[in-house]
Amino acid sequence: MSYEPLPEVLKVESLFHPSDFSEASAVAFLHALKIAAATRASLSILHVSNGAPAEWQDFPRVRETLERWELIPKDSPKQAVAELGLDVRKVEARARDPVKACLGFLEKHPADLIVLAVYQRGGRTRWLAHAVGEPIARKSGQMTLFIPHGTSGFVSAEGTLSLRKILIPIAAKPRPQPAIEAVRRMISALSLPGGEVVLLHVGAAQDSPAVMLPPTPGWTWEHVSRDGDVVESILAVAEEISADLLILPTDGPDGFLDALRGSTSERVLRRAKCPLLSLPAGSLLG
């Protein structure tokens, strides 16, 4: 059977990046800008403050970063960013509740992909250190790329990509095909030269769902089955293969993986040592 791309999977045309100006948010910004530049998407950067207003220079430096990546010439004017096909907005919201502020912004300015930093343990850091990232993803219902605090992710400060190992846990529900299509589009959009995608099924091998694999030159696809606890199996395989990215297809509170509405995805996210992309089923429907 030949591979047929899923027509209902959204293209990434708009990104939303909430930032608290921390080092973790700076790493997440690199990922948001890299994806926006690759897909020629719009990027909204939101900072929420309940105190003194932020200084403009506190926001991530878009032009400076693009110059460092050699996507635009050094000392380029502002219009060089637009000429690259990017529309970047920097916004400050004055509010006590960053979750409500982010969700309010998303209601007026919907995004196809949210990119944010998350802190897996408590600490005296800024507002993203609190339970902010998960509620934004859960209540918005959108695809979300989480960058755990303390990890460098797969986009360096120089703009180089280190994305060669991708892990996708699969089950009969939610259907795994949208996650496979997301990987295909990611490989194409980011011009990834080669690597490996591991499809992990927790349970008996004969119960693993059938999938169609896309043509991805330079990339191999491997099926792996494990017995045992779902969360522990996902985390163990991710560590074994040194995964650069975890992709979790999700399908509501009753699904195998639960769109951050239950314990499975939350437990994976809070212990993952690499970026995690959640794909709620509702966010994939055009």
Side-chain angles (χ1 to χ4, degrees):
M1 182 183 298
S2 62
Y3 183 81
E4 292 289 339
L6 295 178
E8 76 271 24
V9 176
L10 288 172
K11 294 180 179 179
V12 175
E13 297 178 342
S14 57
L15 291 90
F16 173 64
H17 168 54
S19 173
D20 61 5
F21 301 157
S22 63
E23 290 185 11
S25 281
V27 175
F29 161 72
L30 295 175
H31 289 70
L33 185 61
K34 188 70 174 182
I35 295 170
T39 59
R40 300 297 188 263
S42 63
L43 170 61
S44 296
I45 303 171
L46 177 69
H47 176 69
V48 180
S49 172
N50 64 357
E55 299 292 337
W56 189 252
Q57 59 266 26
D58 292 334
F59 278 87
R61 308 294 182 86
V62 174
R63 269 187 297 161
E64 181 179 299
T65 304
L66 294 174
E67 289 174 2
R68 186 169 65 248
W69 293 353
E70 298 183 350
L71 294 179
I72 58 176
K74 189 172 177 59
D75 300 321
S76 292
K78 289 183 178 180
Q79 62 263 30
V81 177
E83 291 171 356
L84 195 61
L86 284 172
D87 175 21
V88 182
R89 291 183 292 176
K90 300 179 181 180
V91 182
E92 181 179 18
R94 305 296 299 280
R96 291 183 177 274
D97 188 332
V99 174
K100 287 183 178 179
C102 290
L103 293 174
F105 183 88
L106 285 169
E107 285 182 6
K108 297 179 180 178
H109 310 281
D112 300 324
L113 174 65
I114 300 170
V115 182
L116 49 73
V118 286
Y119 293 79
Q120 297 166 311
R121 298 175 181 82
R124 296 181 180 178
T125 46
R126 307 192 187 197
W127 55 264
L128 281 175
H130 304 287
V132 172
E134 293 169 26
I136 291 173
R138 181 173 64 246
K139 295 178 181 179
S140 70
Q142 292 301 322
M143 292 189 292
T144 304
L145 177 62
F146 297 96
I147 310 296
H149 172 252
T151 66
S152 57
F154 53 82
V155 180
S156 73
E158 291 72 35
T160 56
L161 288 163
S162 55
L163 185 49
R164 295 185 56 83
K165 295 277 188 176
I166 300 174
L167 175 62
I168 308 176
I170 62 172
K173 181 182 180 183
R175 61 190 183 120
Q177 205 62 46
I180 291 171
E181 173 65 8
V183 169
R184 185 191 70 80
R185 293 195 176 192
M186 183 183 304
I187 290 172
S188 175
L190 297 178
S191 300
L192 300 175
E196 180 183 24
V197 181
V198 176
L199 304 176
L200 168 66
H201 176 257
V202 181
Q206 63 267 25
D207 295 330
S208 182
V211 295
M212 292 188 296
L213 301 179
T216 47
W219 284 77
T220 60
W221 296 75
E222 180 182 356
H223 290 78
V224 174
S225 291
R226 290 289 176 89
D227 291 320
D229 179 78
V230 172
V231 172
E232 297 301 330
S233 297
I234 293 172
L235 293 170
V237 173
E239 186 168 357
E240 287 171 17
I241 69 171
S242 299
D244 301 309
L245 177 65
L246 249 170
I247 298 183
L248 295 186
T250 58
D251 193 24
D254 297 323
F256 175 76
L257 296 170
D258 44 48
L260 299 178
R261 294 178 175 89
S263 63
T264 303
S265 298
E266 289 175 344
R267 287 163 60 201
V268 172
L269 174 61
R270 291 171 183 173
R271 293 171 56 191
K273 297 179 180 179
C274 66
L276 183 152
L277 177 65
S278 72
L279 298 178
S283 71
L284 300 177
L285 299 178

